[in-house]
Amino acid sequence: MTDINKVIATMATSKHIVILTGAGISAESGIPTFRGNDGYWKKGSKNYHPMELATLSTFHQQPELVWEWYHYRRGVCKDASPNPGHYASAKLEKLINSAVGKKFHLITQNVDGLHLRAGSTLEKTYQIHGNTNYMRCVNSCTNSLYNIPDDEQLPHCPECEALARPHVLWFDEVYDETFFKIQTVSHLASGLDILFVVGTTLQTTLPYRVVMTALNRKVPVVEINPEPTGIGERGLALFKEKSGEILPKIVDEYEKVIK
Ligand SMILES: [Zn+2]
């Protein structure tokens, strides 16, 4: 049996299919990864690393600088397009939604919104690190998310006039349920039947915990990553390929067996 056949056979009997995606799938759309050298941001003579800028403490000290970087990043994301990996994930959601007794969820570490633009729904998608297309009150006077006004360099909370901040999880912050669904996602990990781990290096705690929970439960884990983390070898299969190449093949094969 080939690896693809093994995966399809497992999917066919799975009731709850979950995909976890990281920076690798966005890199295939040309979005620089935070941890790579292309993640640096040049401003004047200075080269900023994301780890310096993506923190609440830098935001408190230099909100203009942090916002300028996020406006720039939002522009990069706007100019990028979803790739076949994003579309395959959205197609899988649709296929499973119309199948009786099956469930699908997507957990993404990416803040670029490309999954939603490819057709994944907010209802089934957990953006566990936020989404740079939205802002919220820095004082959390409300939990509402707002679109970022195009004409304001330093946007404010529409409710209380305090500063607004990008709706993302920063390096000096912790996951919560309100914005990042830590409990919901942890709960998913203990109920899913097959987990696809796509383009993530698992360097943040929640994605790591999701994968470890699945492996400890002996649930089939499929890794798709040109630079594997090693978890694929402990799981059902490893595809050392771009998600844009292998995910569409898997979803097309799966479509044949569930129709
Ligand atoms: Zn406010």
Side-chain angles (χ1 to χ4, degrees):
M1 213 184 221
T2 66
D3 273 353
I4 280 216
N5 290 343
K6 218 161 54 177
V7 170
I8 301 302
T10 308
M11 288 172 82
T13 58
S14 297
K15 288 197 170 70
H16 190 183
I17 297 175
V18 173
I19 298 183
L20 164 68
T21 65
I25 190 168
S26 293
E28 291 173 36
S29 286
I31 308 245
T33 60
F34 250 25
R35 295 173 201 277
N37 282 332
D38 53 352
Y40 282 91
W41 181 52
K42 274 195 194 72
K43 182 173 155 56
S45 59
K46 225 186 143 186
N47 238 346
Y48 291 96
H49 192 270
M51 300 277 277
E52 289 176 76
L53 294 168
T55 68
L56 183 62
S57 72
T58 306
F59 182 78
H60 280 314
Q61 289 157 25
Q62 302 180 78
E64 293 90 352
L65 176 73
V66 173
W67 262 118
E68 196 181 337
W69 182 52
Y70 276 94
H71 291 315
Y72 160 75
R73 289 185 55 205
R74 205 153 46 90
V76 170
C77 297
K78 216 182 247 175
D79 291 343
S81 304
N83 66 63
H86 294 108
Y87 287 112
S89 173
K91 179 177 171 182
L92 184 59
E93 175 183 337
K94 227 180 241 163
L95 285 174
I96 294 175
N97 279 350
S98 54
V100 179
K102 286 183 180 274
K103 277 195 296 189
F104 172 86
H105 286 98
L106 171 66
I107 304 167
T108 185
Q109 299 167 232
N110 301 330
V111 296
D112 48 50
L114 287 177
H115 278 297
L116 300 180
R117 279 170 57 196
S120 293
T121 68
L122 255 186
E123 192 199 345
K124 304 283 179 183
T125 305
Y126 298 112
Q127 301 175 97
I128 57 169
H129 293 163
N131 183 327
T132 51
N133 293 315
Y134 297 94
M135 64 177 199
R136 56 185 156 89
C137 179
V138 73
N139 294 334
S140 298
C141 77
T142 155
N143 293 334
S144 301
L145 303 182
Y146 301 96
N147 288 314
I148 299 168
D150 280 331
D151 53 349
E152 280 175 55
Q153 286 306 302
L154 196 60
H156 288 77
C157 169
E159 289 299 320
C160 75
E161 290 300 310
L163 274 184
R165 54 164 288 171
H167 170 51
V168 290
L169 179 70
W170 279 327
F171 285 108
D172 54 353
E173 296 182 302
V174 292
Y175 290 102
D176 63 14
E177 175 64 16
T178 308
F179 295 118
F180 306 111
K181 301 291 169 219
I182 183 169
Q183 274 119 20
T184 307
V185 165
S186 303
H187 185 71
L188 274 191
S190 45
L192 56 89
D193 296 321
I194 180 169
L195 175 65
F196 288 86
V197 182
V198 182
T200 167
T201 51
L202 297 178
Q203 291 188 37
T204 39
T205 55
L206 183 54
Y208 181 79
R209 195 190 308 163
V210 167
V211 173
M212 286 307 135
T213 303
L215 285 174
N216 290 338
R217 287 179 51 226
K218 311 256 184 285
V219 161
V221 174
V222 180
E223 181 174 25
I224 297 174
N225 202 339
E227 291 159 37
T229 58
I231 58 121
E233 282 140 22
R234 291 176 58 192
L236 177 70
L238 163 67
F239 297 96
K240 248 177 111 172
E241 294 171 54
K242 288 184 173 175
S243 59
E245 283 158 17
I246 188 71
L247 258 185
K249 283 186 205 160
I250 291 174
V251 174
D252 287 349
E253 288 302 313
Y254 178 67
E255 184 176 20
K256 290 180 200 160
V257 302
I258 66 158
K259 280 211 163 154

